[in-house]
Amino acid sequence: MSQEREQDFRPVNQVLGSQPSLGPIPADQILPWTVIALASYFIVNGVFGGLFQEEFQKWLWTILMTGWGIGTWWILTGGRSWSFLSKFIGVPAWTRGFARYQSLLEVNHEAKNRKTKRRRRRK
């Protein structure tokens, strides 16, 4: 009886349905985190580089700013990214309306079309 039960079940790959990752870092976060790290480096060392007297202070602020940016991005888009990012997709406003076509040239094309259609059908 136990052999019959074992034949009923199929082995399943545990990786199916999981999100790809590079160690603890989700794969869809690598590019944004790289951009955040580079931007914080250029802001601290390029824009505010003259304010810091020691190299240690520059790196400290670069790491703090990078950590803040990455943390914020991960909170907003990690896990269930659709819950935050779907707020920026424009939803169409459905309205019901009827507008009759009016020609700018004051030519009644509908009457001409109706006459030609009737003639073709009758022949």
Side-chain angles (χ1 to χ4, degrees):
M1 186 161 173
S2 64
Q3 291 177 352
E4 292 174 4
R5 282 198 135 191
E6 288 178 9
Q7 292 175 356
D8 290 342
F9 297 106
R10 292 183 179 178
V12 177
N13 189 353
Q14 298 295 325
V15 180
L16 291 176
S18 65
Q19 183 180 12
S21 64
L22 185 64
I25 301 171
D28 62 340
Q29 300 288 334
I30 292 174
L31 182 65
W33 288 6
T34 305
V35 171
I36 290 169
L38 290 174
S40 63
Y41 175 79
F42 287 122
I43 288 171
V44 170
N45 290 318
V47 178
F48 299 111
L51 297 176
F52 305 111
Q53 296 179 6
E54 295 182 17
E55 197 68 26
F56 172 75
Q57 291 177 340
K58 288 182 183 179
W59 282 109
L60 176 68
W61 280 103
T62 302
I63 291 170
L64 289 174
M65 193 169 162
T66 302
W68 171 74
I70 287 173
T72 303
W73 184 258
W74 199 359
I75 288 170
L76 294 177
T77 63
R80 301 181 315 177
S81 61
W82 53 266
S83 65
F84 174 73
L85 295 176
S86 66
K87 294 178 183 177
F88 301 110
I89 297 172
V91 179
W94 294 96
T95 58
R96 179 178 281 182
F98 300 98
R100 186 161 178 87
Y101 174 75
Q102 280 188 326
S103 175
L104 296 175
L105 302 175
E106 298 298 328
V107 178
N108 193 356
H109 293 287
E110 290 180 11
K112 289 182 180 179
N113 289 338
R114 285 183 189 160
K115 290 178 184 176
T116 57
K117 288 181 184 176
R118 286 182 186 168
R119 289 180 188 166
R120 288 182 187 169
R121 287 183 186 169
R122 290 181 183 174
K123 288 182 180 179

